[in-house]
Amino acid sequence: MKLTMWTYEGPPHVGAMRVAASMKGVHYVLHAPQGDTYADLLFTMIERRQSRPPVTYTTFQARDLSGSTADIFKSACQEAVLRFKPEALLVGSSCTAELLQDDPGGLSRTLDISVPVVPLELPSYQKKETWGAAETFYRLVRSFAGHGQRATDIAPNSCNILGPTSLGFRNRDDITEIVALLKGIGIDIRVVAPLGASPIDLSRLPDAAFNIVLYPEIADVTARWLQKTYGMPFVSTVPIGVGATRQFLADVRQMAGLEASDHGDASLGGTDRLTWYTKSVDSNYLTNKRVFIFGDATHAIAAARIASRELGFKVCGLGTYMREFARDVRAAALEYGVEPLISDDHLEVEQAIIDARPELVLGTQMERHIAKRLRVPCAVISSPVHVQDFPARYSPQMGFEGANVIFDSWVHPLMMGLEEHLLSMFRDDFEFHDNASASHLHADGAAPAALSVVASTSASTVADLVEDASWTSDAEKELKKIPFFVRGKARRNTEAFAADRGINPITVETLYDAKAHFAR
Amino acid sequence: MNQTSPTPCAPVATIRQRGQHEVFCGLTSIIWLHRKMQDAFFLVVGSRTCAHLIQSAAGVMIFSEPRFATAIMEERDLAGMADMHDELDGVVEKLLQRRPDIRMLVLVGSCPSEVIKLDLQRAAERLNHRLAPKHRVISYSGSGIETTFTQGEDNFLAALVADNAANSAQDKACDLVIAGCLADVVEDQFSRLLTAMGVENFCFLPGRQSDGVPRIGPKTRYILAQPYLGATAAALEALGATRINAIFPLGEEGTTEWLRAIAQSFGVSETLFDTVTSGPRQRARQAISHYRPMLEGRSVFLFPDSQLEPSLARYLCREAGAEIIEIGSPYLHREHVAGEFALLPVGVSVSEGQDVEVQIDRCRAANPDLIVCGMGLANPFEAEGRVTKWSIEFAFTPIQGYEQAGDLAELFARPLMRNAILAEGSRSFGGGRP
């Protein structure tokens, strides 16, 4: 039994949902009690998906346990096939149903269902979300690409892109970026999966010359199986950062049998601004800024490389919550001379951040909250995601444009070079007090002294202007119960209301009379 | 005028369907329970799914260290390699080391812990033996196979009442218990009104501290402030308390009838009742009147969520002038909501339980002006061009009482206003294209 406050990953069936929701024509029948439908809102709220994820939950209840939960599962399958007419049906259990041992795979074989069924065995008490996604993708590919013969004449420049999924960190824009880059160098992209693919597309995977694994956490197992089964090689360089993007393009060219480019690839599919921006003089202040990095393995390793080699930061901590990829992160940590942190306990991560005294934290939403509390600038680089990680604007992490996005999003939370100089020049001026935060940071928490001076001055001015309005202590107490962000408005409205009607002192009644009066 | 004990009538046909429920489980109520009772800690004994559910339903990671956590069961627990009770004791010990300030530890049962029949009540008794009186340990089930959403609160309050029968710190029994979580500001408003009417010695359940649980005696009367408290009502009655029947304090009418039921039960004169309530009633009506034009005549379809749906529908219908198409509720306590149904027009359809696909079909066919539904359904409906209101806000926002009556109308009116603003905005460009 493990004590957990917050988790980096959901259960493995949520990973399966991510794959089902990524694809077209796949429906997932999940044997689960009613509360498990919460997972729908990850897609509809966080990702702002316009349709419900393609999942049917059997919703068994305590009273069904003595009877037959298996029958509930069977009828849910039949109804789902009738209603959604999928090309393939995934079936499996959530953690509770796993304990019932109803065997969804076996049950679905007893049904006369007209579509292929892919049973999933996702051990909820051992494994987690990302593993569940990787396993689901692998099972689907095995089912649909496992029987075919590989075509004999395959164009050497043809490839598939494997790994992007629903709810993946910036996957939507990464794919656009990478597809454009690859098309620019003459690569023929056959299938992108699982995001946007149908089961039929999966059966065409062996018809390309090679695979590109963009997100090893999701697609490594599948790519290895395709290599073993069909001899398809794969490119595993992850194109995050300028150097890695160049390396990625070189690897792809080589695998596709294309000539190496002599004039560089920066002109293709985007412009690299990161390289010049980091050289420009304003970036001098970035030198050896201490950066703590934590996230999924791919993004954390890439972030460490960019931070140290492309931005001139100093990596002061590196870790991941994914034990499955711990080895890669350990190797990277060795390279930067830091102790690797492999943990899914956010309290341990918080302690490591405190100990490392970073000037910038690059992490997940979890580390964003930790950094906020510690008042350290932060940028998000990895899942678990939040609604903010699906920005309206185009903002990939991969390719040259991705590097530009990374420059902006990591550097903007820091105080700009010029601003830093000004602050030290005006150090003794009260408005540029030593404790003043950068202009773009919220002045929450420990308010700079200068701000509180201004606040108290203006408060006394307001009090002078409306010297007639006095509040009874009860009314004052009641006012304090109103959330702080509207309290000022409530006070002004009530005082205006009281002044209008000659009410003095302001009582709790007046407060609510005014509230009712201004209610809109 | 006495609407508090309406003649039993059934103006409604109940649709009972089973199928997929798109409703949270009882664990979700921990999100407001832990904020209400500030010295309590809620420890879910469950799976990674439970931990993920609470964190997802709570929005994101808002607090550094919340007063809730999950003891995640692992393979070795289930395989019998580890004794679950020893493991649980270990987790509790670790937790109390970190948080020695916890006065009440609440063990919360989940689907997996119920299925494997892990006896948390026994665990609580054992832990109490060791930890009382410094820490009090109680247990209840918030599992999705037994409870929906707000029923978690019901089970928690019932456990509090039962525990308190044996261990109350109060020496005098309460005359009036107001049962059901209310925002502090709402409690304070009700306290002022009751005090002004001369009703004394009343208590709220739950209290703001774990030792503030009221003592129940044979003369205790109780009134429900929330409609989902069947188990709590039974627990209170088991100790001899009697229920004051009323509709629920939503809107001007609901609040008045709810307070009137208390006033009548405690022999408050009608003159005093009117003197105390007339001002707030006037204010509530005034506040609602700002939004009524946006809601009047609009058709509303309510999906099941918090069991507040019958009361919300009554309010929408009678105070905002809306037309109700369907009232979905995960569960109906017929006796407790009889008063609400008696005030609804004949022909409103009511559904209990859920088959979400079929209900969505009905909703699309009815094409309502406003759909009240959960977060899993809202954006997909919006993408179809329909207007929705997230129902979870009714569980998290203060909506009860006179001073919130206008706020409640605003919650329904806001999506309609927003839709109107955006529709107007899109008409102002592009040569009147739709």
Side-chain angles (χ1 to χ4, degrees):
Chain A
M1 224 175 250
K2 192 174 175 229
L3 180 63
T4 307
M5 313 270 177
W6 303 117
T7 69
Y8 285 95
E9 293 185 73
H13 70 258
V14 168
M17 284 182 69
R18 285 175 54 187
V19 171
S22 301
M23 293 184 59
K24 290 181 222 150
V26 174
H27 196 88
Y28 184 21
V29 177
L30 182 63
H31 203 19
Q34 71 178 343
D36 289 10
T37 52
Y38 82 88
D40 283 0
L41 70 88
L42 302 173
F43 299 88
T44 62
M45 296 300 290
I46 294 180
E47 202 171 29
R48 300 183 211 247
R49 195 183 149 98
Q50 299 206 341
S51 58
R52 294 165 60 217
V55 183
T56 295
Y57 304 80
T58 56
T59 312
F60 55 83
Q61 293 172 294
R63 62 166 187 263
D64 304 318
L65 296 181
S66 52
S68 180
T69 49
D71 290 342
I72 295 174
F73 175 81
K74 286 197 266 187
S75 59
C77 278
Q78 280 161 328
E79 281 165 29
V81 170
L82 275 178
R83 179 174 282 268
F84 299 104
K85 303 184 174 55
E87 291 163 41
L89 197 68
L90 290 169
V91 298
S93 296
S94 79
C95 52
T96 307
E98 188 182 330
L99 299 170
L100 304 181
Q101 302 185 320
D102 276 342
D103 183 20
L107 289 173
S108 60
R109 274 193 294 277
T110 67
L111 298 172
D112 186 20
I113 295 180
S114 53
V115 297
V117 177
V118 181
L120 298 174
E121 300 260 357
L122 308 174
S124 308
Y125 299 93
Q126 293 172 29
K127 302 291 190 183
K128 290 183 270 187
E129 177 181 335
T130 314
W131 183 90
E135 172 72 7
T136 304
F137 183 45
Y138 167 66
R139 290 287 155 201
L140 277 165
V141 170
R142 274 200 73 150
S143 298
F144 288 93
H147 317 293
Q149 286 295 316
R150 207 171 175 213
T152 43
D153 53 335
I154 294 173
N157 68 337
S158 61
C159 79
N160 305 307
I161 296 179
L162 306 180
T165 59
S166 185
L167 283 176
F169 187 73
R170 304 286 168 84
N171 286 192
R172 176 196 73 192
D173 296 343
D174 282 350
I175 283 302
T176 309
E177 186 65 19
I178 293 305
V179 164
L181 267 182
L182 293 176
K183 282 189 176 159
I185 62 167
I187 298 293
D188 175 13
I189 297 159
R190 297 285 170 85
V191 177
V192 177
L195 196 64
S198 69
I200 299 301
D201 293 332
L202 298 186
S203 68
R204 297 195 291 115
L205 285 175
D207 297 342
F210 64 99
N211 290 311
I212 290 173
V213 176
L214 282 189
Y215 305 94
E217 283 88 344
I218 306 290
D220 188 64
V221 183
T222 301
R224 282 175 199 285
W225 179 80
L226 287 166
Q227 184 175 43
K228 199 178 91 199
T229 310
Y230 294 105
M232 292 177 79
F234 63 90
V235 173
S236 57
T237 307
V238 177
I240 303 181
V242 173
T245 300
R246 294 223 169 93
Q247 183 64 50
F248 169 80
L249 290 172
D251 291 353
V252 171
R253 279 178 193 283
Q254 193 186 16
M255 201 160 278
L258 299 172
E259 296 276 307
S261 155
D262 354 310
H263 51 275
D265 291 307
S267 57
L268 298 164
T271 310
D272 161 27
R273 289 195 189 89
L274 178 139
T275 307
W276 162 239
Y277 274 38
T278 53
K279 252 188 93 60
S280 73
V281 289
D282 191 80
S283 295
N284 262 324
Y285 76 105
L286 298 176
T287 311
N288 282 332
K289 286 262 186 203
R290 295 172 62 81
V291 189
F292 187 97
I293 299 165
F294 194 84
D296 66 27
T298 300
H299 286 92
I301 293 169
R305 193 179 50 239
I306 296 169
S308 96
R309 295 191 193 153
E310 298 183 12
L311 296 175
F313 290 152
K314 167 107 186 102
V315 176
C316 67
L318 176 61
T320 184
Y321 54 86
M322 285 183 172
R323 288 187 188 282
E324 293 90 338
F325 289 80
R327 189 194 299 178
D328 304 341
V329 174
R330 285 204 181 94
L334 194 67
E335 201 175 315
Y336 305 109
V338 293
E339 194 63 34
L341 175 64
I342 313 298
S343 171
D344 62 353
D345 179 347
H346 79 287
L347 296 174
E348 209 179 312
V349 178
E350 174 162 33
Q351 194 53 52
I353 292 177
I354 292 170
D355 295 344
R357 294 173 292 105
E359 294 163 274
L360 175 68
V361 172
L362 302 175
T364 71
Q365 285 293 332
M366 216 85 85
E367 285 67 45
R368 187 172 75 89
H369 284 270
I370 294 170
K372 214 162 133 188
R373 273 196 305 286
L374 301 174
R375 299 184 60 72
V376 179
C378 177
V380 177
I381 57 157
S382 152
S383 300
V385 286
H386 179 255
V387 66
Q388 288 173 347
D389 300 319
F390 294 89
R393 68 179 184 277
Y394 180 61
S395 54
Q397 296 285 289
M398 291 184 171
F400 298 113
E401 189 58 23
N404 296 338
V405 168
I406 284 173
F407 180 89
D408 285 350
S409 53
W410 297 8
V411 167
H412 287 180
L414 298 167
M415 222 176 267
M416 303 305 285
L418 186 58
E419 188 176 14
E420 208 167 66
H421 286 297
L422 286 172
L423 278 175
S424 52
M425 273 171 74
F426 291 93
R427 185 150 298 209
D428 297 324
D429 192 297
F430 82 97
E431 282 190 40
F432 286 94
H433 189 274
D434 201 21
N435 293 334
S437 335
S439 54
H440 57 283
L441 288 179
H442 294 293
D444 55 352
L451 278 183
S452 34
V453 170
V454 174
S456 60
T457 319
S458 57
S460 64
T461 322
V462 172
D464 291 339
L465 285 175
V466 283
E467 55 189 351
D468 289 339
S470 72
W471 290 64
T472 65
S473 63
D474 278 355
E476 195 77 51
K477 270 188 218 147
E478 194 75 5
L479 183 67
K480 294 218 172 79
K481 293 170 193 162
I482 296 171
F484 71 92
F485 49 88
V486 288
R487 200 181 298 147
K489 189 180 166 201
R491 180 186 284 278
R492 284 194 301 278
N493 279 352
T494 309
E495 288 175 352
F497 179 84
D500 239 3
R501 288 164 181 72
I503 297 170
N504 193 19
I506 292 170
T507 63
V508 175
E509 292 287 301
T510 322
L511 174 65
Y512 285 122
D513 283 335
K515 183 173 188 261
H517 177 78
F518 289 106
R520 59 167 83 233
Chain B
M1 184 176 126
N2 182 0
Q3 291 168 326
T4 56
S5 48
T7 48
C9 82
V12 287
T14 308
I15 303 165
R16 274 210 189 79
Q17 263 165 340
R18 67 154 312 160
Q20 177 176 325
H21 289 202
E22 192 82 16
V23 182
F24 287 136
C25 66
L27 295 182
T28 325
S29 47
I30 290 172
I31 295 163
W32 65 85
L33 291 175
H34 89 283
R35 303 204 64 191
K36 183 74 202 175
M37 194 178 265
Q38 305 234 331
D39 58 352
F41 192 103
F42 293 80
L43 180 65
V44 177
V45 182
S47 64
R48 178 167 299 281
T49 315
C50 305
H52 198 233
L53 160 98
I54 303 180
Q55 136 176 359
S56 308
V60 265
M61 298 63 84
I62 303 163
F63 309 104
S64 50
E65 216 177 316
R67 286 188 314 282
F68 57 78
T70 309
I72 295 184
M73 302 192 298
E74 292 167 320
E75 190 68 10
R76 57 193 294 270
D77 299 306
L78 299 168
M81 285 151 64
D83 182 284
M84 292 275 241
H85 287 280
D86 292 346
E87 289 282 314
L88 182 58
D89 288 3
V91 166
V92 167
E93 197 171 317
K94 196 172 159 194
L95 180 64
L96 292 177
Q97 264 170 16
R98 272 197 78 85
R99 302 293 300 266
D101 54 314
I102 296 167
R103 299 286 307 282
M104 176 176 270
L105 177 65
V106 189
L107 304 178
V108 189
S110 65
C111 299
S113 79
E114 296 292 322
V115 166
I116 62 167
K117 299 196 163 43
L118 180 61
D119 189 345
L120 290 183
Q121 200 169 345
R122 209 186 94 207
E125 279 164 21
R126 188 186 61 243
L127 285 164
N128 257 325
H129 207 68
R130 224 178 57 216
L131 301 170
K134 191 158 180 262
H135 313 283
R136 179 104 206 106
V137 186
I138 66 168
S139 74
Y140 73 91
S141 171
S143 89
I145 55 176
E146 290 158 318
T147 63
T148 73
F149 197 25
T150 49
Q151 278 175 308
E153 178 185 327
D154 186 22
N155 282 354
F156 171 59
L157 297 187
L160 269 186
V161 170
D163 175 69
N164 218 50
N167 300 290
S168 178
Q170 320 285 315
D171 44 355
K172 188 164 167 277
C174 224
D175 290 339
L176 173 66
V177 174
I178 296 162
C181 270
L182 294 169
D184 289 359
V185 64
V186 176
E187 283 187 4
D188 293 347
Q189 290 163 6
F190 285 158
S191 294
R192 282 196 293 270
L193 291 166
L194 291 173
T195 306
M197 284 186 235
V199 178
E200 285 167 359
N201 193 23
F202 56 85
C203 338
F204 292 91
L205 176 71
R208 297 181 196 183
Q209 297 289 323
S210 59
D211 60 3
V213 181
R215 191 185 181 94
I216 314 299
K219 291 206 180 115
T220 303
R221 277 165 273 184
Y222 75 94
I223 188 160
L224 299 179
Q226 301 283 6
Y228 45 75
L229 298 175
T232 307
L236 287 164
E237 285 176 16
L239 297 177
T242 48
R243 185 167 72 92
I244 299 173
N245 185 34
I247 57 171
F248 294 90
L250 295 179
E252 185 272 314
E253 182 185 33
T255 306
T256 301
E257 293 315 311
W258 187 81
L259 286 169
R260 189 193 302 280
I262 298 174
Q264 285 175 346
S265 177
F266 283 84
V268 177
S269 75
E270 272 192 42
T271 329
L272 179 58
F273 180 79
D274 288 339
T275 312
V276 172
T277 57
S278 63
R281 289 181 71 173
Q282 175 54 35
R283 279 203 295 266
R285 282 195 291 262
Q286 186 192 353
I288 295 168
S289 69
H290 289 299
Y291 304 102
R292 193 173 159 115
M294 284 158 256
L295 294 166
E296 202 157 24
R298 299 300 191 100
S299 56
V300 184
F301 191 110
L302 295 100
F303 276 77
D305 193 60
S306 61
Q307 295 187 36
L308 286 166
E309 294 81 11
S311 309
L312 292 170
R314 179 262 302 155
Y315 166 80
L316 276 172
C317 172
R318 291 176 61 95
E319 296 187 42
E323 181 205 338
I324 307 299
I325 295 175
E326 177 168 328
I327 304 169
S329 178
Y331 174 77
L332 289 173
H333 194 294
R334 274 155 214 288
E335 194 189 330
H336 292 172
V337 294
E340 302 287 11
F341 283 130
L343 295 176
L344 282 162
V346 177
V348 170
S349 75
V350 177
S351 61
E352 184 177 5
Q354 191 176 28
D355 182 341
V356 71
E357 306 296 350
V358 177
Q359 193 165 29
I360 289 170
D361 290 345
R362 281 202 302 277
C363 180
R364 284 182 182 140
N367 195 23
D369 295 316
L370 181 68
I371 302 171
V372 180
C373 64
M375 292 192 285
L377 302 178
N379 267 340
F381 273 136
E382 293 281 349
E384 290 176 14
R386 303 175 197 280
V387 183
T388 63
K389 166 76 216 123
W390 312 347
S391 49
I392 197 162
E393 244 185 304
F394 302 116
F396 291 129
T397 313
I399 53 172
Q400 291 82 4
Y402 290 124
E403 317 303 351
Q404 284 65 239
D407 300 346
L408 181 53
E410 198 270 347
L411 286 181
F412 289 110
R414 194 190 309 154
L416 291 164
M417 289 191 282
R418 181 164 184 76
N419 192 52
I421 293 167
L422 298 182
E424 183 60 35
S426 73
R427 267 197 298 277
S428 64
F429 290 101
R433 273 182 292 123

